[in-house]
Amino acid sequence: MTGTPEQGHQEAAGAAAPGPGAGAGPGAEAGSGRTAGEWPLWEVFVRARRGLSHTHAGSLHAPDAELALRNARDLYTRRGEGVSIWVVPSAAVTASSPDEKDPFFEPSADKPYRHPTFYEIPEGVRHL
Amino acid sequence: MTATAETAPVLALGDDALVLSHRLGEWAGHAPVLEEEVALANIALDLLGQARVLLSLVGDEDELAYLREERAFRNCQLVEQPNGDFAHTIARQLYFSTYQHLLYARLAAAGDGSGPLAALAAKAVKEVAYHQDHARQWTLRLGDGTDESHRRMQRGCESLWRFTGELFQPLGGAQGPAEDVRPGSRPGGVGDGGLGDGGLVVDWAALEADWLSSVTAVLEEATLSVPDGPRRGAWSAGAGRQGVHTEAFGRMLAEMQHLHRSHPGASW
């Protein structure tokens, strides 16, 4: 269990029967693209097994974090994909803009020495 | 098709799982949101898996599921109740998954004492722990939500309350409640939980007390009042274990069985 159940109920209260004034959910404050009465969007990260990082699996709607976690379990770990799940309000993600693509990513194109290709990788090292 | 003394409790548990699985499956395409639809379908599939194991211990699973008449089903009346609104379904889930979790935890703890049920109980107890958590989470949110969600959740809890007494009728052999289910009358060393000659060896009174305190805790946390109607006696329901079912069950069975009955022996 994560989060605070107390807080959870109150947040869900708005989501259970949304209407004017509803929407005190965690994603509500940012709420970009969220129409009235719709549950906030959450990004789901799943760790496939110990030793690996959490990777982005997808997104879903849920009234609060506790239920987002459970929905993520039902949607993204049905086939034994995970041992751990993170859920993050989509509104909390700051993404780079396509307009910034060149200044952000172009400068690294001509710097091959940054790639670890000049090293011998010892045998037995996995996930590198 | 009649169950023997040994298989009667297994049949009852299997029918519970089968019937509730079908009811939850009815939400497919109708759930309030896509995420919740998958959640309910997952629970239904867990229950269907349990039903298959249990019914296979009694006989041919397809024959038992699809070719029995209404009166031959031994599920409790709670699980056959129509879905109603979402809150009604959640109330049914809260009552039943709490019961199932307590029961399977006892059977799993008894280990080999549960005989053929040991392996199933060990697996099912984890599944139903999630079902119970799901029901609790929703009960809290609907009960402690808006005026309307509170009203509907309270109504669901009230209307199903009278079906909950039946859950704690001892699951004895075909002749009825076994004599050895009372605390203290078990052979020395046998824990609470297991499958004996006369039925499930479970301290049903303790199970009911645990159920009541667990459900009460959730309802109170959800700002709901615990229903005060009768749970057993002349004015309560509950003869499903004897094969007497409520009106809606016949229609549910017709839908569940019609394909198999129309195309006997058909396969994919």
Side-chain angles (χ1 to χ4, degrees):
Chain A
M1 285 279 215
T2 60
T4 55
E6 293 305 319
Q7 192 188 359
H9 312 168
Q10 300 310 322
E11 285 163 358
E29 62 276 12
S32 57
R34 186 186 167 206
T35 54
E38 208 174 278
W39 287 346
L41 195 63
W42 301 79
E43 299 301 323
V44 179
F45 299 83
V46 175
R47 163 180 273 175
R49 34 176 212 282
R50 287 192 62 195
L52 295 187
S53 332
H54 287 73
T55 46
H56 188 235
S59 53
L60 52 79
H61 289 96
D64 57 60
E66 288 286 315
L67 284 183
L69 202 54
R70 283 159 180 78
N71 288 346
R73 178 262 196 195
D74 285 327
L75 287 168
Y76 294 111
T77 65
R78 285 161 54 88
R79 299 171 188 88
E81 294 96 331
V83 295
S84 165
I85 305 173
W86 291 345
V87 289
V88 177
S90 303
V93 174
T94 307
S96 64
S97 148
D99 301 339
E100 297 165 329
K101 190 160 84 58
D102 289 349
F104 261 56
F105 307 116
E106 277 287 310
S108 67
D110 61 348
K111 299 178 179 66
Y113 47 84
R114 287 179 179 170
H115 293 273
T117 50
F118 304 100
Y119 303 92
E120 295 283 330
I121 296 173
E123 272 182 45
V125 176
R126 290 150 67 194
H127 310 313
L128 199 64
Chain B
M1 202 169 311
T2 52
T4 64
E6 289 78 38
T7 59
V10 182
L11 185 67
L13 297 179
D15 284 349
D16 282 353
L18 175 69
V19 170
L20 186 58
S21 170
H22 189 85
R23 279 295 187 209
L24 290 173
E26 290 173 354
W27 274 107
H30 302 280
V33 292
L34 180 64
E35 287 84 351
E36 195 49 39
E37 183 163 306
V38 178
L40 292 171
N42 275 348
I43 293 172
L45 288 173
D46 284 345
L47 291 167
L48 190 62
Q50 294 168 15
R52 293 191 60 181
V53 172
L54 290 163
L55 294 182
S56 295
L57 290 171
V58 179
D60 180 87
E61 53 176 325
D62 282 344
E63 245 175 72
L64 287 167
Y66 296 123
L67 296 174
R68 260 183 307 163
E69 300 292 335
E70 182 178 331
R71 292 296 294 261
F73 276 80
R74 290 292 180 267
N75 55 282
C76 60
Q77 292 182 350
L78 175 65
V79 295
E80 74 199 33
Q81 296 310 304
N83 288 333
D85 62 13
F86 185 68
H88 195 264
T89 290
I90 291 300
R92 194 183 58 199
Q93 282 303 105
L94 178 70
Y95 291 163
F96 188 72
S97 64
T98 302
Y99 157 78
Q100 237 190 347
H101 187 228
L102 291 168
L103 180 61
Y104 280 136
R106 282 164 161 79
L107 294 178
D112 291 342
S114 297
L117 290 182
L120 172 86
K123 177 171 178 284
V125 72
K126 294 174 203 154
E127 294 171 342
V128 298
Y130 188 81
H131 304 173
Q132 189 184 6
D133 175 66
H134 174 266
R136 177 178 170 273
Q137 295 290 339
W138 273 114
T139 303
L140 296 179
R141 282 161 179 77
L142 295 172
D144 193 11
T146 63
D147 287 346
E148 182 175 8
S149 73
H150 178 90
R151 185 177 56 75
R152 288 184 182 226
M153 193 66 225
Q154 186 69 52
R155 190 178 61 190
C157 291
E158 305 272 357
S159 64
L160 292 170
W161 188 249
R162 67 197 181 97
F163 295 104
T164 58
E166 184 185 13
L167 298 174
F168 307 99
Q169 286 177 15
L171 283 174
Q175 285 76 40
E179 289 306 313
D180 60 349
V181 294
R182 278 158 192 68
S185 66
R186 289 186 299 269
V190 176
D192 179 21
L195 187 63
D197 294 337
L200 286 191
V201 183
V202 169
D203 184 342
W204 293 95
L207 186 77
E208 181 163 15
D210 288 353
W211 180 90
L212 202 54
S213 74
S214 175
V215 166
T216 300
V218 175
L219 294 182
E220 285 177 351
E221 193 182 349
T223 72
L224 296 160
S225 50
V226 179
D228 58 0
R231 297 175 53 241
R232 53 176 87 253
W235 295 100
S236 72
R241 300 282 189 229
Q242 287 79 50
V244 179
H245 295 283
T246 53
E247 185 185 348
F249 186 55
R251 292 195 296 275
M252 194 210 93
L253 267 194
E255 187 172 306
M256 189 175 92
Q257 296 184 333
H258 93 267
L259 191 69
H260 190 91
R261 288 184 186 271
S262 311
H263 304 278
S267 66
W268 290 105

